[in-house]
Amino acid sequence: MDLGQVVRELQHSRNGVTVRTEDGCVYEANYVILSASIGVLQSDLISFRPPLPMWKTEAIEKCDVMVYTKIFLKFPYKFWPCGPGKEFFIYAHERRGYYTFWQHMENAYPGSNILVVTLTNDESKRVESQSDEETLKEAMVVLRDMFGSDIPDATDILVPRWWNNRFQRCSYSNYPMISNNQVINDIKAPVGRIFFTGEHTSERFNGYVHGGHLAGIDTSKAVLEEMRKDERQKGKQNQNFLLEPLLALTLTQADAVSGLHKCDVPTQLYLSGKLGIPEAIL
């Protein structure tokens, strides 16, 4: 499959999965590993034919999505306090979560002159919906309220947009406090030949990058095991197919003694050893 394709539909059956993309391409696969975020699964970006079972969709809807936005502002020089115990500072505002948590990057990147402010959920969604210029103005008002009016303007700003990105629709999953293991088990459980993975399928580390990494390893092992089972099943079916004429020969051997009968072809074929099956089986 080519990279950069936008998958819009997964049509699945007991025999495989058909993947349809936004530009009309169609791909066939024996199995599919779906690593879309929980936010994407809750959206209408990807449709399933037939639809996912109710136990699956209910589990997906029960998982909360978190929007966590770190806004980066670069300045010509630093004007904030630095040194031991001075990496973070908090702004108190009457609106909950309004540019509250600030952090300078001097400890990690000396001389970068970068401040980071963290927003979450409703404030994140609000900021994502406005321009970077508006966000910069709001942030500068807050900073001048804390450090005085003579501080310099920021020279650049970076505003991630996890919520408005249709390929993300969240920053990470957040299981409710009252949820049980059944919810996460249902979310990560395969549906036919579609296997689900991502940080939201990690029972111990959901919400973290390493949770997504470890979940991917577990899912790949599950798919490999399913492929081995499929191969073993096919082997049994092929063996049964080869033994059918032998069974027919055994049931009709009395007729075969008096002359060629309804087992003529299998009798001659197997007795001649053309398929490499030992005659002792007969």
Side-chain angles (χ1 to χ4, degrees):
M1 179 179 289
D2 297 330
L3 297 177
Q5 298 277 14
V6 180
V7 175
R8 297 306 305 270
E9 181 184 275
L10 295 176
Q11 184 175 351
H12 55 105
S13 69
R14 65 176 62 183
N15 298 318
V17 184
T18 300
V19 181
R20 301 181 186 278
T21 65
E22 196 165 58
D23 60 359
C25 293
V26 178
Y27 300 91
E28 301 287 343
N30 291 330
Y31 299 91
V32 163
I33 296 178
L34 181 58
S35 60
S37 71
I38 193 70
V40 169
L41 293 178
Q42 291 178 356
S43 72
D44 59 356
L45 179 64
I46 303 174
S47 61
F48 297 84
R49 294 180 53 195
L52 294 176
M54 184 174 294
W55 59 265
K56 187 72 168 182
T57 56
E58 287 181 349
I60 290 172
E61 291 302 322
K62 285 179 181 178
C63 184
D64 294 334
V65 296
M66 292 293 294
V67 187
Y68 189 90
T69 306
K70 284 184 174 290
I71 300 174
F72 297 81
L73 297 98
K74 184 169 181 57
F75 292 87
Y77 56 87
K78 61 177 179 288
F79 52 83
W80 50 86
C82 293
K86 297 180 180 180
E87 183 174 352
F88 298 89
F89 41 97
I90 296 177
Y91 178 69
H93 192 272
E94 60 184 11
R95 183 195 300 179
R96 179 180 175 87
Y98 187 80
Y99 298 96
T100 302
F101 299 100
W102 292 82
Q103 177 187 8
H104 69 72
M105 303 299 292
E106 291 302 310
N107 291 346
Y109 302 100
S112 60
N113 299 330
I114 291 177
L115 287 179
V116 181
V117 59
T118 300
L119 307 179
T120 61
N121 291 334
D122 290 342
E123 278 300 307
S124 290
K125 295 175 183 178
R126 182 188 68 81
V127 165
E128 282 196 22
S129 66
Q130 67 187 19
S131 68
D132 288 356
E133 289 74 18
E134 291 177 285
T135 302
L136 179 57
K137 289 178 181 178
E138 291 179 351
M140 289 307 304
V141 169
V142 170
L143 287 171
R144 289 192 166 107
D145 194 17
M146 287 192 290
F147 295 106
S149 59
D150 57 345
I151 64 173
D153 289 327
T155 58
D156 203 359
I157 184 171
L158 174 64
V159 183
R161 285 177 166 79
W162 296 97
W163 176 250
N164 285 334
N165 186 334
R166 64 173 179 156
F167 303 126
Q168 297 292 338
R169 297 300 295 164
C170 67
S171 301
Y172 55 87
S173 63
N174 182 44
Y175 284 92
M177 293 289 292
I178 60 173
S179 66
N180 52 40
N181 290 340
Q182 190 60 47
V183 174
I184 192 168
N185 289 337
D186 287 346
I187 286 179
K188 69 180 180 181
V191 175
R193 290 174 174 261
I194 302 176
F195 285 72
F196 295 78
T197 195
E199 55 82 16
H200 53 282
T201 67
S202 174
E203 185 173 349
R204 294 184 60 193
F205 303 113
N206 66 287
Y208 294 93
V209 172
H210 59 283
H213 174 72
L214 296 174
I217 294 175
D218 291 341
T219 305
S220 64
K221 291 179 179 179
V223 172
L224 288 173
E225 180 58 30
E226 193 66 24
M227 292 172 67
R228 295 188 187 103
K229 288 170 56 179
D230 197 22
E231 289 299 318
R232 290 195 293 266
Q233 185 64 29
K234 288 180 180 178
K236 290 180 180 179
Q237 291 175 352
N238 291 337
Q239 185 179 13
N240 292 337
F241 175 77
L242 291 174
L243 289 176
E244 285 177 359
L246 301 180
L247 296 174
L249 174 60
T250 302
L251 293 173
T252 60
Q253 57 184 342
D255 295 332
V257 171
S258 58
L260 295 177
H261 196 51
K262 51 189 173 183
C263 285
D264 292 349
V265 175
T267 301
Q268 295 175 357
L269 182 62
Y270 279 91
L271 290 179
S272 66
K274 290 182 178 180
L275 292 183
I277 298 178
E279 295 180 358
I281 294 179
L282 298 176

